[in-house]
């Protein structure tokens, strides 16, 4: 016998004034009930919703405020917290909620909502079973990884209309009335067809009378290739369009005879405005693999010629922006010489704050849909730049609630039917009505639902487990011990909702350290560099709750690899050789960790001193870094260097040992310290150098030619860099289990002050590096062959030619432009 399943459609948050959408329209409710006799549908009344309560009743649903009997609860946006209290033994909540929850990216403001679905750590099973499940629409994807349920096309349609309306108001303020003053705002239109009809009428006016002469040729630019841009393009088809290319823009705008009875539309693709810094042709695959090698010329090739920009392109950290704030200023300066108020109106439909358009500072609402922005004037500007009007409404689809809801539901119903069948025990199938729109079969739909599940039975999915510390901190704030909780009941004296609203800041308990915060936000660590030493540091810091970690590097593949296991860690692509590309990241951080090559540390240190940020590096202190000492002290900034393995851990252990010796009343007259990071002996035998490159190979090879100075048996010795590998100690008696050799490590004498050693009384002072026997001899062979030469370059066809080349040369190889070989060995 099939179990009866109740589907509930809740009302949206009353505080969302413009939210009128519904996840299921009445027609689809009727369809579900006809195909699923074991199902009932409850609908919470809402007088703001685009569909009336009586329509749902006619479809067979029950209209009621009480959705406690629902097994599946549907909404569009987040459920209000007061409507979803924390579960307890007296009021369990086993429903599955589906919504755009905005929780899976670690959004801190929605941790209270996430905690309604996730139990504290170590909660017993009987407690976890009290919790509801959470599925997020944003995570519903097909087998190709593409999102299947959303409102993107309607955002494009509504965004085009809102942007045209905003632009018309701007032009009117400049003394120019255009036909676009009649543009229908979508939320004021009775239907999408009505809005399309009105826009078509505007098109007829333009086709007959043209656009205002002061505006010149009217050019609309669209970016993006997804549903958002498709919605824009589909809506603009109601106008008398002439499609043009980016290459045609300059001639079109400058030609006084250009027909103003047309609207010129340019759909700019990434290949039109992203160019490679090495001068090669744009390649889509290469762009996604190496976005750091591209830069935008949108401000030169496209923006200056546009009357209106409809921006629908997505953006992600690490990728070049379509237009930066500085580039906007350059575009405005160029546009000023073209007339027509060009480059002064933008509709950012993607609404990615400080994203593809860096100057987008905030989103707007339907009540106040646009704002003005003036970029800083260029040094070359003779007068202030004009204001730019920006439309950035972030809830555009809800302005077309009827059509948006119907389209959304058509994609959702197959998933919903699969979920109903699963809960009722009925075999899964996809109904004919929806097969064309959703081609996933029942098994794929079930898999997609599982992948879109953030929490179930009080536990986070494996993918989202990193959110648990945030959830535990929320419970700690309610006075519930997150490590030993045996009940989900809230403290005495109030409901979960009232306790949450007045909850104190999380406090430190014996089982949990409170997250470090600065002025009410989490402490932020900036890590510069993504090389071989970065991963353990990222793994360790990412595992600590309450720390926000941002990694910056010029290698996107390395950044993506580092954050793959840590979705809450952010990354930014930056040119580490140019402090201008990352100085804002330093300014926004509390501590900077530099894992860059040593020559970059001083410029990072200067930025840290300037902005009052502490700096940590594992590198030796260079003269340039030492020169920052006084300014750092004046700024109360800590520049902590030499805190890796060697140097670092060896310093700590040396100072600890010396302190113990002195505490016993002994005098130190000989100091020897050897350190090295090596693979286990049994794992090193098949490797010629018996060494694992765990940090930058160039650094390892370069260290083999460092000069050294040390005191041995009362004799001060100086070893030139070219002689270092011939000066190895063949046997260092560290252990009897295996043999080790040692190399003197840089200038040991400078550490007399660090270790508080009296150099005049010392017989031996040496710091050395440990290697397995044979390392120095083989490396010295490489040195003699020229492999460690960083200045001379040669070109050979095959590696087999190299010995003959070296034998034939009595002097160093000549400088060439390339150092390559066609051999792939």
């Amino acid at each position: 016998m099939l179990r009866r399943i109740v589907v509930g459609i809740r009302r949206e948050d009353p505080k969302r004034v413009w939210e009128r959408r519904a996840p299921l329209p009445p027609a689809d409710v009727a369809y579900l009930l006809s195909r699923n006799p074991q199902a009932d549908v409850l609908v919470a009344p809402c007088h703001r919703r685009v569909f009336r309560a009586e329509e749902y009743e006619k479809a067979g649903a029950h209209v009621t405020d009480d959705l406690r009997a629902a097994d599946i609860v549907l909404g569009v946006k987040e459920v209000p917290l007061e409507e979803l209290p924390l579960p307890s033994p007296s009021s369990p909540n086993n429903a599955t909620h589906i919504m755009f929850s905005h929780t899976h990216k670690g959004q801190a403001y929605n941790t209270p909502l996430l905690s309604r679905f996730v139990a504290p750590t170590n909660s017993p099973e009987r407690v976890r079973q009290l919790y509801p499940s959470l599925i997020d629409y944003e995570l519903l994807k097909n087998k190709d990884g593409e999102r299947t349920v959303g409102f993107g096309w309607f955002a494009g349609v509504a965004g085009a209309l809102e942007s045209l309306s905003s632009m018309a108001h701007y032009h009117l303020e400049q003394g120019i009335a255009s036909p676009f003053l009649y543009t229908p705002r979508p939320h004021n239109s009775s239907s999408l067809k009505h809005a399309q009809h009105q826009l078509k009428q505007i098109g007829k006016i333009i086709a007959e009378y043209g656009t205002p002469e002061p505006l010149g040729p009217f050019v609309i630019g669209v970016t993006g290739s997804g549903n958002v841009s498709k919605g824009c393009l589909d809506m603009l088809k109601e106008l008398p369009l002439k499609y043009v290319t980016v290459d045609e823009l300059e001639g079109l705008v400058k030609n006084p005879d250009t027909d103003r009875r047309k609207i010129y539309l340019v759909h700019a693709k990434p290949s039109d405005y992203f160019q490679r810094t090495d001068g090669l042709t744009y390649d889509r695959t290469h762009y996604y693999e190496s976005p750091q090698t591209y830069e935008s010329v949108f401000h030169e090739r496209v923006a200056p010629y546009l009357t209106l920009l409809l921006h629908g392109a997505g953006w992600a950290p690490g990728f070049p922006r379509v237009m930066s704030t500085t580039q906007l200023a350059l575009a405005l300066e160029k546009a000023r010489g073209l007339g027509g108020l060009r480059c002064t109106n933008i509709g950012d439909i993607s609404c990615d704050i400080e994203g593809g358009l860096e100057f987008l500072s905030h989103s707007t609402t339907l009540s106040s849909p646009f704002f003005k922005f003036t970029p800083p004037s260029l040094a070359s500007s003779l007068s202030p730049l004009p204001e730019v009007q920006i439309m950035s409404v972030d809830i555009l689809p809800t302005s077309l609630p009827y059509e948006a809801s119907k389209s959304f539901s058509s994609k959702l119903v197959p998933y919903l039917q699969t979920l109903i069948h699963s809960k009722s025990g009925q075999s899964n199938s996809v109904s004919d009505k929806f097969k064309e729109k959703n081609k996933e079969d029942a098994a794929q739909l079930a898999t997609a639902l599982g992948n879109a599940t953030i929490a179930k039975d009080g536990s986070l999915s494996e993918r989202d487990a990193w959110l648990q510390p945030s959830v535990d901190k929320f419970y700690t704030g309610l006075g519930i011990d997150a490590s030993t909780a045996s009940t989900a009941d809230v403290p005495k004296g109030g409901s979960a909702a009232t306790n949450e609203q007045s909850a104190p800041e999380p406090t430190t308990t014996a089982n949990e350290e409170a997250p470090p915060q600065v002025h009410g936000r989490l402490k932020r660590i900036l890590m510069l560099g993504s090389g071989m030493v970065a991963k353990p540091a990222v793994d360790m810091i990412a595992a600590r709750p309450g720390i926000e970690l941002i990694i910056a590097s010029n290698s996107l593949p390395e950044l993506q690899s580092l954050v793959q296991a840590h979705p809450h860690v952010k990354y930014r692509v930056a040119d580490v050789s140019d402090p201008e590309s990352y100085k804002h990241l330093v300014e926004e951080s509390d501590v900077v960790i530099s894992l860059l090559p040593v020559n970059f540390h001083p410029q990072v240190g200067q930025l840290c001193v300037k902005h009052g940020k502490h700096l940590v590096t594992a590198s030796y202190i260079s003269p340039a870094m030492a020169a920052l000492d006084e300014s750092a002290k004046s700024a109360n900034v800590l520049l902590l260097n030499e805190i890796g393995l060697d140097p670092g851990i060896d310093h700590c252990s040396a100072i600890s040992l010396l302190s113990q010796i002195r505490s016993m009343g002994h005098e130190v007259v000989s100091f020897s310290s050897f350190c090295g990071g090596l693979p286990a002996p049994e794992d090193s035998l098949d490797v010629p150098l018996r060494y694992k490159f765990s940090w930058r190979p160039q650094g390892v090879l370069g260290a083999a030619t460092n000069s050294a100075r040390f005191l041995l048996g009362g004799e001060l010795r100086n070893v030139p860099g070219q002689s270092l590998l011939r000066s190895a100690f063949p046997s260092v008696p560290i252990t009897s289990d295996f043999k080790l050799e040692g190399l003197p490590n840089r200038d040991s004498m400078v550490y007399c002050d660090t270790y508080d050693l009296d150099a005049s009384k010392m017989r031996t002072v040496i710091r050395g590096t440990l290697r397995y026997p044979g390392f120095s001899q083989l490396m010295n062979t490489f040195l003699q062959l020229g492999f460690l030469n960083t200045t001379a370059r040669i070109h050979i066809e095959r590696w087999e030619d190299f010995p003959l080349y070296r034998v034939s040369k009595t002097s160093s190889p000549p400088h060439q432009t390339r150092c390559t070989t066609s051999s792939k060995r």
Side-chain angles (χ1 to χ4, degrees), residues 568-624:
H568 58 300
V569 174
K570 302 175 182 177
Y571 64 87
R572 300 288 186 271
V573 172
D575 181 359
V576 296
S577 65
D578 179 13
E580 289 294 317
S581 72
Y582 62 82
K583 69 177 183 179
H584 64 289
L585 298 176
V586 173
E587 189 174 359
E588 295 167 356
S589 67
D590 300 298
V591 176
V592 178
I593 300 174
S594 179
L595 302 179
L596 301 173
V598 63
N599 54 301
F600 289 110
H601 293 330
Q603 63 186 23
V604 178
Q606 291 174 356
L607 282 176
C608 288
V609 171
K610 178 180 178 180
H611 296 293
K613 311 299 179 181
H614 304 303
L615 173 65
V616 180
T617 86
S619 300
Y620 283 99
I621 300 174
S622 65

Side-chain angles (χ1 to χ4, degrees), residues 626-648:
L628 298 175
D629 185 55
E630 290 302 320
S631 60
K633 290 176 180 176
S634 300
N636 198 29
V637 167
L638 174 65
L639 302 179
L640 181 60
N641 299 272
E642 301 191 14
I643 196 65
L645 169 62
D646 172 12

